[in-house]
Amino acid sequence: MSLILFAFVVRVRDGLPLSASTDFEHNRELQERKQQLRTISKSLASFSDRGTIKGQQLNLYFTSSEGVSYMSVCRSSLPAAKAFCFLEDLRWEFTARFDSSVVALAARPYPFLEFDSTIQKLKQQYNQSGGPTLEVTLVEVQDDLRIRPPQVINLEEVELANGTANGHIEQSKNQRLEPVTPPGILSLVLNIVCASLNLIRGVHLMENTLQDDYEGIWNFVAFLFAFVCCAFQCHLFLFHSSQKKLKSFFLLSVIVLCNLYLHGLRNAWQLIFHISVASVSTFLILTRRVQQRTDDCGV
């Protein structure tokens, strides 16, 4: 089984692809990771010279030097030190063949397509042996990683920063999420039910409060806040939003606090129902991902 699936050489200042290897595996996560390489390549100037993004089965690694970045998609079972050894070998091969001035003057994508044969050769070497030819190289890279660990990158922040830098905030906001699953539909319906119950109880309570010299006004406020938070949970589930995790936990916290405050007006089963629906909705919001484009940064 191949440990290194794809490699990518790009220019740091503008993310221009200089050369890319051909992959022979076409699983879904690999295509997603390749698209993420394209996204990261547009923001390399804002990162340190080494970074990584960890996934379920595949990780991304990159190292930048002299205006060129060397990026790869590797299986998570491959140690990070060996992945960076591969990138270092790739860097040595590239700098030996192409002058920095030639790289700076490149104006079209994939100007060094002939370098693909070198990438394939190195990939084959690492996939067969599981690491670099010289053990001393691995030891040096391991020591260097202990001294200067690579930057761990959050992909959502990269996508948001990249959209802001290129003036595409509206496009980022309108990204499509993955199709709604049956549990998601059920959670959405239950959330609407909870929001309706909070609104109805709040309106009735407000009518009584106006007749009783505003006693219980804070109970009405708690019902109103719970209604608003349930509505926002539905919005977060249906539409893409930046800082989704922070917003989701904030809404869940407010709903829990409001229901605990209303314990005198609701029995234990009602409280458990409202808090459980909010908790499941939060989980589904966080696990519903952005639908990846089918664009391929390979050749």
Side-chain angles (χ1 to χ4, degrees):
M1 181 178 64
S2 299
L3 296 175
I4 300 175
L5 303 180
F6 185 75
F8 196 35
V9 182
V10 300
R11 189 165 60 191
V12 172
R13 77 166 188 262
D14 55 4
L16 179 73
L18 303 175
S19 182
S21 67
T22 303
D23 61 276
F24 300 100
E25 298 187 31
H26 299 283
N27 63 71
R28 180 179 178 181
E29 187 178 1
L30 176 58
Q31 302 310 313
E32 291 178 356
R33 293 300 177 188
K34 288 169 65 177
Q35 178 58 40
Q36 290 166 3
L37 282 181
R38 182 189 293 274
T39 301
I40 297 169
S41 66
K42 297 176 182 178
S43 307
L44 283 168
S46 62
F47 299 136
S48 64
D49 60 348
R50 261 193 320 225
T52 181
I53 293 180
K54 295 185 177 180
Q56 295 179 350
Q57 297 181 0
L58 304 177
N59 294 340
L60 303 184
Y61 300 95
F62 72 86
T63 183
S64 303
S65 176
E66 299 179 353
V68 179
S69 186
Y70 309 88
M71 316 177 77
S72 66
V73 181
C74 305
R75 295 199 183 275
S76 56
S77 57
L78 181 71
K82 292 184 178 180
F84 282 108
C85 278
F86 169 75
L87 295 178
E88 279 297 310
D89 285 344
L90 202 61
R91 182 179 71 85
W92 278 106
E93 293 285 348
F94 188 85
T95 54
R97 294 183 57 179
F98 304 105
D99 187 81
S100 58
S101 60
V102 178
V103 172
L105 294 174
R108 60 181 178 84
Y110 307 108
F112 311 123
L113 196 57
E114 67 273 16
F115 189 66
D116 178 67
S117 59
T118 303
I119 298 177
Q120 296 295 343
K121 182 179 178 181
L122 275 175
K123 279 174 53 181
Q124 185 177 10
Q125 173 191 320
Y126 273 75
N127 287 333
Q128 290 179 351
S129 63
T133 305
L134 298 177
E135 190 68 24
V136 65
T137 305
L138 179 60
V139 174
E140 290 175 354
V141 171
Q142 287 174 333
D143 291 340
D144 193 30
L145 289 177
R146 279 193 290 268
I147 298 172
R148 294 188 310 112
Q151 179 182 1
V152 179
I153 299 171
N154 184 318
L155 187 65
E156 290 186 0
E157 295 176 358
V158 173
E159 290 175 339
L160 178 62
N162 189 52
T164 305
N166 292 296
H168 298 315
I169 288 295
E170 290 301 322
Q171 181 179 355
S172 175
K173 289 183 179 178
N174 294 326
Q175 291 187 66
R176 289 186 177 182
L177 297 172
E178 292 179 342
V180 180
T181 60
I185 296 175
L186 178 61
S187 171
L188 191 63
V189 171
L190 291 176
N191 217 336
I192 294 174
V193 170
C194 289
S196 301
L197 291 174
N198 287 323
L199 181 61
I200 293 171
R201 290 291 303 274
V203 170
H204 287 172
L205 186 64
M206 189 59 183
E207 293 176 351
N208 296 330
T209 299
L210 292 176
Q211 297 174 2
D212 298 335
D213 297 329
Y214 298 100
E215 292 182 4
I217 187 66
W218 290 111
N219 290 330
F220 165 73
V221 172
F223 276 120
L224 180 62
F225 276 9
F227 161 74
V228 172
C229 289
C230 288
F232 270 109
Q233 277 197 324
C234 294
H235 181 273
L236 278 182
F237 180 75
L238 292 173
F239 303 102
H240 173 72
S241 176
S242 61
Q243 298 181 331
K244 181 171 63 175
K245 183 180 295 186
L246 178 63
K247 294 176 182 178
S248 299
F249 283 120
F250 174 75
L251 293 175
L252 176 62
S253 300
V254 174
I255 291 174
V256 171
L257 290 175
C258 288
N259 279 279
L260 292 178
Y261 184 81
L262 295 169
H263 70 279
L265 299 176
R266 281 177 169 162
N267 59 42
W269 289 110
Q270 290 173 327
L271 293 177
I272 292 173
F273 173 73
H274 282 268
I275 293 175
S276 297
V277 170
S279 300
V280 172
S281 296
T282 300
F283 172 77
L284 293 175
I285 289 170
L286 295 176
T287 54
R288 192 178 181 205
R289 298 181 178 181
V290 174
Q291 193 169 19
Q292 297 292 335
R293 298 178 182 177
T294 57
D295 294 347
D296 186 6
C297 61
V299 292

